[in-house]
Amino acid sequence: MKEYKHYTPEQIEQANNADISDYVHSRGFVCEKAGKEIHIRGYQGLYLNPETNEFYCHSENKGGRGLLNFCKQVLDMPFLEAMREIVGEPESVRQFANKSAEELQKGDRISYAGKTWTVTEVSNYSISLESGKDKDFISNTPSTRFLNEKKWTEKLTEAGFKFIGKAAEIKQFTPKVTAEPQEKKEFKMPEKSPDQKKLYAYLIKQRMLSPQTINDLVKQGVLYQGYVEFPKEDGSVSKHENIIFLHRNDVGEPCGADIQGVYTASKFKGIVPPNETDRGFVYSKGDPNKTDTVYLFEAPIDLMSFVELHPEIENAKFVAMGGLKPTIAEHYINSNMNVVSCVDNDVAGQKFNNKILSEKMQEALSANEGDITSKAINDRDPPIRLLEGTVNGKECSFFLSKDDYKEALNLNADVKSNVFVWVNRSNFTVNRECSEAGVKDFNDLLKNIKLSEKEVSPLENTKKFVEETNKIADWAEKAKNTAMGRLNDTRQYQIGGK
């Protein structure tokens, strides 16, 4: 008799409802407590909420609920692989003639009378079944459902019985009873310190920023030294002096902040904005009526470093998102201004940029070329993003760069016979300075330049300054020209095929 493999709807539901927290701990993921959430290290901002069985990856801007979705989205498992990981291999579905009723055991799963049931009890005279909240009872006595004296095998086969397999032993997620959500508190600006000495000392000595750069942001009221309150376990509150980088909303009101310790090069500690109106830490330069470009950064100190490296840039906004925040980026991208991404030169930053560029490429090509689908080659980190489709009867692949195409070939990836590299004429571009310099962020770049200046003579320093100024001017002009296009310009150049 023909055999085939499948998972029942009940098994899929069971996999969806499996406990993610239990899974990651049992599989040896490196987990750490982060407030009410669990942070999984090594996945660029992956957090779990054990109270809701939900997950979210900030670097990928994706999330969901349940272990099945977790395995598919985070671990990049195809559906069947994810199901095998959670519930095991599906047993071949056979007609009941291959397994008699006398062989049924507690825990077996059967298809009977149009439903999937779990066998809860087996005796010489009856079989007890459950399907969710429903319960049923099949007896071998003539006084109940079947009045003849046929064997159980014949009776159940007539009712459409099929043996599915053992029920999977999976810990299911059980929602906790939680208190009513509290109203969000309005953002309270940290109290200002009587002076700014520690702020200037830290930013000048530790971060090598100039006093002029610091002064400009202090004058705009977005940067100051202040006291931040931290609640203790005993209910009391402790105050610590920190550097405050204010976030503002659309109408210019403070709605949150990044904070930076003034004694050591500690990491940022975010104060979460109370609502979705947060537009980041914003520094405006030049005439606001002529502003047409926004530069995006992860952290305020990277923003300040870039401003110092590029004094020639005028009539622009510089925005630090406080990490990789797609919602803040989307706000500016949708504002029809030119947006230049200056996020960190690391895997998370590359994923952030490539995701947006891939979406822009798909928007542009789909409008002109028809049915275009996205694809990711996951054999490297970050994955190679590309598009595939049929254009003028030819199967085509579209890459974000020539380097991506070459790497796809090296990985023996399945690439169509006609290959194109998309020429980006959208309003979103990526600054490559840190990548070309081999540093992570603009503060590292600023430090490298200033340290190298100390090692050369005044004359050499002057020559180098002129050369660097000319390079910066050339880059700025190229960046401006590149960013002037819009989504409807879908030019690309072919690098393979006919």
Side-chain angles (χ1 to χ4, degrees):
M1 187 170 290
K2 184 178 179 180
E3 297 184 357
Y4 58 96
K5 291 186 175 183
H6 86 307
Y7 288 103
T8 66
E10 288 78 8
Q11 288 173 305
I12 296 172
E13 182 181 356
Q14 192 177 27
N16 265 324
N17 196 50
D19 195 305
I20 305 175
S21 176
D22 180 70
Y23 174 83
V24 296
H25 282 97
S26 66
R27 293 300 192 277
F29 286 77
V30 181
C31 304
E32 57 187 13
K33 193 174 173 74
K36 293 184 178 181
E37 296 183 316
I38 297 172
H39 175 219
I40 300 181
R41 296 174 60 183
Y43 285 84
Q44 287 84 44
L46 175 60
Y47 288 83
L48 308 180
N49 187 330
E51 294 184 357
T52 62
N53 205 31
E54 295 176 327
F55 64 92
Y56 191 82
C57 185
H58 291 278
S59 63
E60 291 284 342
N61 188 29
K62 64 184 180 183
R65 182 187 181 280
L67 183 53
L68 180 58
N69 286 323
F70 178 86
C71 289
K72 290 194 298 181
Q73 295 188 42
V74 177
L75 305 182
D76 292 324
M77 293 182 182
F79 171 77
L80 289 177
E81 182 182 345
M83 288 296 295
R84 282 194 294 269
E85 172 70 10
I86 302 170
V87 303
E89 287 285 348
E91 295 197 32
S92 298
V93 179
R94 303 176 177 89
Q95 292 297 329
F96 183 69
N98 288 341
K99 184 165 185 176
S100 66
E102 288 78 7
E103 296 174 323
L104 283 178
Q105 299 176 359
K106 183 177 179 180
D108 282 349
R109 292 169 66 81
I110 66 172
S111 176
Y112 163 71
K115 276 187 173 184
T116 298
W117 304 82
T118 299
V119 176
T120 56
E121 293 293 339
V122 176
S123 72
N124 292 331
Y125 304 102
S126 64
I127 303 173
S128 298
L129 306 173
E130 287 187 6
S131 178
K133 296 181 180 180
D134 296 332
K135 296 183 179 181
D136 205 347
F137 182 82
I138 301 175
S139 174
N140 195 34
T141 63
S143 61
T144 55
R145 184 180 304 241
F146 299 100
L147 299 179
N148 54 33
E149 292 298 328
K150 292 181 180 179
K151 293 181 180 179
W152 284 10
T153 297
E154 296 174 3
K155 294 175 182 178
L156 294 178
T157 301
E158 288 177 357
F161 174 90
K162 291 179 182 179
F163 174 70
I164 295 172
K166 278 287 186 185
E169 295 180 2
I170 308 170
K171 181 179 178 181
Q172 296 291 287
F173 170 72
T174 303
K176 295 180 180 179
V177 178
T178 57
E180 290 293 323
Q182 297 180 351
E183 293 184 6
K184 292 182 178 180
K185 297 180 179 179
E186 291 186 7
F187 172 72
K188 181 181 178 182
M189 281 184 59
E191 176 188 351
K192 290 186 178 181
S193 300
D195 60 60
Q196 308 292 311
K197 292 180 180 179
K198 294 174 182 176
L199 178 150
Y200 277 88
Y202 174 81
L203 293 178
I204 292 172
K205 293 179 180 180
Q206 298 291 333
R207 299 296 190 160
M208 301 186 75
L209 292 161
S210 69
Q212 182 58 47
T213 300
I214 301 170
N215 288 339
D216 289 344
L217 276 80
V218 170
K219 288 178 181 177
Q220 286 201 10
V222 294
L223 173 64
Y224 67 91
Q225 181 179 318
Y227 296 99
V228 179
E229 296 181 352
F230 295 96
K232 292 184 176 181
E233 292 184 359
D234 61 4
S236 62
V237 175
S238 63
K239 284 187 177 182
H240 297 275
E241 274 193 300
N242 291 274
I243 300 172
I244 312 299
F245 300 92
L246 278 183
H247 287 213
R248 296 186 183 276
N249 57 23
D250 284 329
V251 295
E253 298 171 341
C255 65
D258 287 317
I259 60 174
Q260 171 69 55
V262 293
Y263 298 105
T264 62
S266 60
K267 294 182 179 179
F268 281 99
K269 299 176 182 177
I271 300 175
V272 180
N275 53 48
E276 67 278 4
T277 63
D278 175 38
R279 301 306 178 214
F281 171 76
V282 181
Y283 168 63
S284 299
K285 186 178 178 184
D287 186 349
N289 295 321
K290 296 181 180 179
T291 297
D292 61 358
T293 305
V294 177
Y295 296 86
L296 293 179
F297 304 84
E298 292 186 42
I301 290 177
D302 294 332
L303 178 158
M304 297 173 70
S305 302
F306 181 88
V307 170
E308 188 160 325
L309 287 167
H310 291 282
E312 79 287 353
I313 297 178
E314 294 287 342
N315 304 326
K317 276 187 177 182
F318 305 87
V319 179
M321 299 178 286
L324 295 170
K325 303 289 180 60
T327 53
I328 294 178
E330 289 169 5
H331 167 75
Y332 292 105
I333 292 171
N334 295 334
S335 68
N336 293 323
M337 289 194 287
N338 299 317
V339 178
V340 182
S341 176
C342 304
V343 299
D344 290 357
N345 176 39
D346 57 14
V347 171
Q350 292 170 33
K351 286 183 178 179
F352 179 85
N353 289 331
N354 289 348
K355 182 179 185 300
I356 297 175
L357 287 172
S358 180
E359 290 172 353
K360 288 293 185 183
M361 178 168 64
Q362 187 162 15
E363 287 176 10
L365 293 175
S366 296
N368 294 273
E369 309 294 355
D371 188 19
I372 300 291
T373 59
S374 62
K375 179 181 176 181
I377 301 172
N378 297 309
D379 295 330
R380 77 160 198 193
D381 200 13
I384 299 172
R385 292 182 175 271
L386 66 149
L387 301 179
E388 292 183 344
T390 302
V391 180
N392 296 326
K394 297 181 179 180
E395 292 187 342
C396 303
S397 294
F398 299 88
F399 286 85
L400 291 175
S401 70
K402 192 172 182 179
D403 289 339
D404 280 356
Y405 168 62
K406 290 181 178 179
E407 193 156 356
L409 292 181
N410 291 335
L411 294 170
N412 295 318
D414 181 21
V415 177
K416 302 301 181 183
S417 56
N418 296 278
V419 181
F420 296 85
V421 171
W422 179 57
V423 177
N424 180 20
R425 296 292 180 182
S426 73
N427 68 328
F428 178 84
T429 56
V430 177
N431 180 293
R432 307 286 184 186
E433 286 181 283
C434 290
S435 175
E436 293 170 359
V439 296
K440 180 184 178 184
D441 55 49
F442 281 97
N443 190 239
D444 287 344
L445 182 59
L446 178 68
K447 288 178 179 178
N448 287 353
I449 292 174
K450 290 198 172 183
L451 289 172
S452 65
E453 289 174 352
K454 292 180 179 180
E455 298 173 357
V456 298
S457 66
L459 179 60
E460 291 174 334
N461 194 24
T462 301
K463 291 180 179 178
K464 187 174 181 180
F465 176 77
V466 173
E467 291 175 357
E468 291 298 324
T469 302
N470 290 335
K471 288 180 182 178
I472 290 171
D474 290 341
W475 173 86
E477 185 63 26
K478 289 178 182 178
K480 180 180 178 181
N481 292 334
T482 302
M484 289 302 293
R486 286 297 184 267
L487 290 175
N488 58 355
D489 189 343
T490 61
R491 291 178 292 168
Q492 56 271 332
Y493 61 91
Q494 189 168 0
I495 57 176
K498 298 180 180 181

